[in-house]
Amino acid sequence: MTKNIAVVTGANRGIGFEICRQLARIEVKVILTTRDEEKGNKAKEILQNEGLDVVFYQMDVTSEESVQQAADYIMGNFGKLDILVNNAGIGGDHDNLGLQANIDRIKEILDTNTFGPLRVCKAFTPIMIKSNHGRIVNISSNMGALSNMGSGATGYRISKAALNAVTRIIASELEDTNIVVNSMAPGWVRTDMGGPTATRSVEEGADTAVWLAVTDNLPTGRFFQDRREIGW
């Protein structure tokens, strides 16, 4: 039986790395991607040393050329794509208040957190359409929920709210296919971004993304946390 093929972006550490591990443990072949080649290869080696079927391909989600090269690699080497997890993201603007916003910083965050997944979907979805099958999981945040907006982290909040909009748009455009597109919020996770005092482990943070990636008969265009649908 041919393994499912998964691509995970921004996967050299944190939640993305753990998503790779959990997918590979259930017999998915994982292409771990990140823009830093050295870090990506080190992450791949760790997982391969655990006996997991993981390969690395360098991809910068802020570069259309890099994203298209990665899509060509997937099509040329595997001929299909079953799972796409858009995990690559940046933050670091907790002090960026809305009325004093650093617009250049917001643009930088949007380029990775929102336009990055959109670029990747544009390039990779045609591979899924060829086989009329696929799961796209966009790693969003509770801070992107309109019902949970507050002061600070203006760029991050905007980028994740916009990513949720991208999820809805793409899900709508693919509603006549067997490609399911959803967002998920991992919660406050102990990663380099979340910090050591965060309330959740990376295993907990990755769980719902993996569940969305491999579970049949799920709705499309929705927002999830802890395997339950939540509000936008």
Side-chain angles (χ1 to χ4, degrees):
M1 182 177 178
T2 304
K3 284 186 174 184
N4 283 339
I5 305 296
V7 168
V8 184
T9 71
N12 63 290
R13 60 189 174 96
I15 296 170
F17 180 79
E18 182 61 25
I19 290 170
C20 290
R21 173 182 276 139
Q22 291 187 21
L23 285 172
R25 282 177 174 171
I26 53 175
E27 299 302 313
V28 174
K29 184 176 184 67
V30 178
I31 295 86
L32 180 159
T33 74
T34 187
R35 62 184 174 184
D36 188 305
E37 187 169 1
E38 182 178 357
K39 292 178 180 177
N41 275 314
K42 286 181 179 178
K44 172 204 69 176
E45 289 170 5
I46 291 170
L47 295 175
Q48 286 182 344
N49 287 338
E50 295 177 10
L52 300 176
D53 189 2
V54 177
V55 299
F56 168 70
Y57 193 85
Q58 190 274 337
M59 180 169 69
D60 179 355
V61 301
T62 68
S63 164
E64 289 198 21
E65 180 181 6
S66 176
V67 169
Q68 189 57 56
Q69 287 174 347
D72 292 343
Y73 164 80
I74 298 300
M75 190 63 197
N77 286 271
F78 305 104
K80 68 167 189 167
L81 179 63
D82 303 287
I83 297 163
L84 171 61
V85 181
N86 283 308
N87 169 75
I90 59 175
D93 75 329
H94 290 288
D95 297 329
N96 196 10
L97 305 180
L99 293 177
Q100 293 86 38
N102 182 328
I103 301 298
D104 287 338
R105 179 58 177 155
I106 293 174
K107 289 178 179 178
E108 179 185 357
I109 294 170
L110 283 167
D111 198 25
T112 296
N113 293 7
T114 308
F115 304 144
L118 184 55
R119 289 185 191 98
V120 174
C121 286
K122 283 178 60 182
F124 284 75
T125 300
I127 305 174
M128 292 181 168
I129 290 173
K130 287 180 183 292
S131 57
N132 195 32
H133 171 76
R135 301 287 181 270
I136 298 173
V137 182
N138 294 324
I139 307 302
S140 183
S141 170
N142 299 105
M143 294 174 72
L146 294 178
S147 59
N148 192 38
M149 285 295 160
S151 182
T154 300
Y156 187 78
R157 291 180 186 277
I158 291 171
S159 73
K160 293 302 186 178
L163 177 59
N164 287 345
V166 168
T167 297
R168 294 295 299 271
I169 291 165
I170 294 175
S172 176
E173 293 180 359
L174 295 174
E175 64 182 354
D176 294 328
T177 72
N178 289 316
I179 302 170
V180 175
V181 188
N182 287 302
S183 286
M184 66 81 66
W188 188 23
V189 180
R190 291 187 293 275
T191 62
D192 289 351
M193 185 183 295
T197 62
T199 56
R200 293 182 171 221
S201 67
V202 289
E203 292 82 4
E204 291 171 311
D207 176 75
T208 297
V210 174
W211 175 74
L212 288 169
V214 301
T215 302
D216 293 329
N217 301 316
L218 289 174
T220 191
R222 309 293 177 85
F223 194 16
F224 290 87
Q225 184 173 26
D226 295 332
R227 303 193 182 193
R228 296 188 299 270
E229 188 176 347
I230 60 175
W232 296 104

